[in-house]
Amino acid sequence: MNLETSYIFKSKRLGFRNWKESDIPKMAKISGDAEIMRFFPAVATFEQTKEFVFRMQKMFEERHYCYFAVEELKSKKFIGFIGLCFQDYEAQFTPCTDIGWRLDKKFWNKGYATEGAKRCLEYAFQVLELEKIIATAPKINEPSISVMKKIGMQKKLEFKHFKLKDFPKIEECVCYEIQQ
Ligand SMILES: CC(C)(COP(=O)(O)OP(=O)(O)OC[C@H]1O[C@@H](n2cnc3c(N)ncnc32)[C@H](O)[C@@H]1OP(=O)(O)O)[C@@H](O)C(=O)NCCC(=O)NCCS
């Protein structure tokens, strides 16, 4: 029996795949961590993570992309998500496809987010043939904005995120963009 995980694509050190039910508790631990979620209004509950995973599985079926479940190839460990997500919330740059990332803090500072995001852009432009990808983050989320810059995205605008209007520290956001 072949127990090798089938990835949608790989980068040098990471494998990208659709979500499995067994990822839910692992992602819930990541999204339930106050340090990892310090630029969000709140940590996510187990139920919210379950809904997130189901939403990503559905998006993958419909669009052939989602925020992918990511594994470290050498250990086969699930490390979080990096990927693409269709967005239609109220903003001047939506509807659009964005790129995003959330990794277990044990896997920060290894260059994984940047390596994975570059690989996802390749998939977006060469396989999906999307024309433009955007990324957003609160202005104070420097680690995330640094990834945007390192993968070649350019700052397009600053905006107040309507979903964050009750959270003044993170309401002011930036939108970066990269074209095919
Ligand atoms: C945003 C996030 C994914 C960034 O992760 P990260 O590990 O800091 O990002 P990178 O992959 O760019 O790695 C950064 C560092 O790894 C180091 N590094 C170590 N080994 C490396 C290697 N082989 N190759 C490249 N960089 C390496 C580099 O020094 C780099 O830092 P530098 O660019 O300042 O030199 C992470 O902070 C996170 O999950 N945050 C919580 C969720 C979140 O805020 N998401 C975004 C919402 S908008």
Side-chain angles (χ1 to χ4, degrees):
M1 194 167 49
N2 182 9
L3 291 174
E4 188 69 12
T5 307
S6 65
Y7 296 114
I8 300 157
F9 53 85
K10 290 184 205 172
S11 63
K12 194 168 155 231
R13 296 175 294 170
L14 306 172
F16 299 76
R17 56 165 177 76
N18 196 357
W19 292 80
K20 303 193 262 203
E21 201 134 348
S22 58
D23 297 325
I24 295 171
K26 296 173 195 163
M27 192 65 224
K29 200 165 166 231
I30 295 173
S31 298
D33 182 299
E35 187 189 358
I36 296 173
M37 298 298 281
R38 69 196 188 283
F39 299 114
F40 290 81
V43 296
T45 63
F46 189 89
E47 235 5 80
Q48 285 167 334
T49 299
K50 205 165 154 184
E51 279 165 28
F52 166 79
V53 168
F54 292 154
R55 192 160 65 82
M56 291 302 116
Q57 287 174 326
K58 187 159 173 277
M59 191 177 297
F60 184 72
E61 274 167 36
E62 289 170 1
R63 297 182 178 270
H64 303 289
Y65 66 74
C66 63
Y67 288 149
F68 299 109
V70 177
E71 286 181 8
E72 183 181 45
L73 290 175
K74 70 173 181 201
S75 66
K76 297 280 184 298
K77 274 191 182 141
F78 170 83
I79 66 163
F81 70 73
I82 306 173
L84 308 162
C85 185
F86 182 75
Q87 300 290 2
D88 59 2
Y89 59 83
E90 198 185 309
Q92 59 199 105
F93 49 82
T94 53
C96 64
T97 301
D98 80 4
I99 186 163
W101 31 73
R102 185 181 305 161
L103 299 183
D104 186 330
K105 61 191 179 195
K106 291 199 286 274
F107 297 92
W108 291 356
N109 291 315
K110 295 177 186 292
Y112 282 170
T114 299
E115 174 182 319
K118 274 190 191 150
R119 186 65 187 87
C120 288
L121 282 183
E122 251 176 58
Y123 179 75
F125 293 139
Q126 292 171 19
V127 179
L128 302 170
E129 299 187 333
L130 298 173
E131 281 176 11
K132 185 173 83 177
I133 301 292
I134 69 120
T136 61
K139 264 171 136 171
I140 58 168
N141 190 343
E142 285 174 19
S144 186
I145 295 169
S146 164
V147 175
M148 294 172 201
K149 290 178 181 162
K150 286 185 280 184
I151 63 173
M153 301 184 90
Q154 309 275 337
K155 187 170 170 184
K156 195 179 170 210
L157 54 94
E158 296 187 358
F159 67 106
K160 281 185 198 274
H161 202 306
F162 89 105
K163 283 187 193 164
L164 301 175
K165 55 177 179 278
D166 297 329
F167 306 93
K169 278 194 194 148
I170 51 173
E171 184 191 12
E172 297 284 344
C173 289
V174 289
C175 175
Y176 276 64
E177 178 186 289
I178 187 163
Q179 310 236 10
Q180 164 85 281

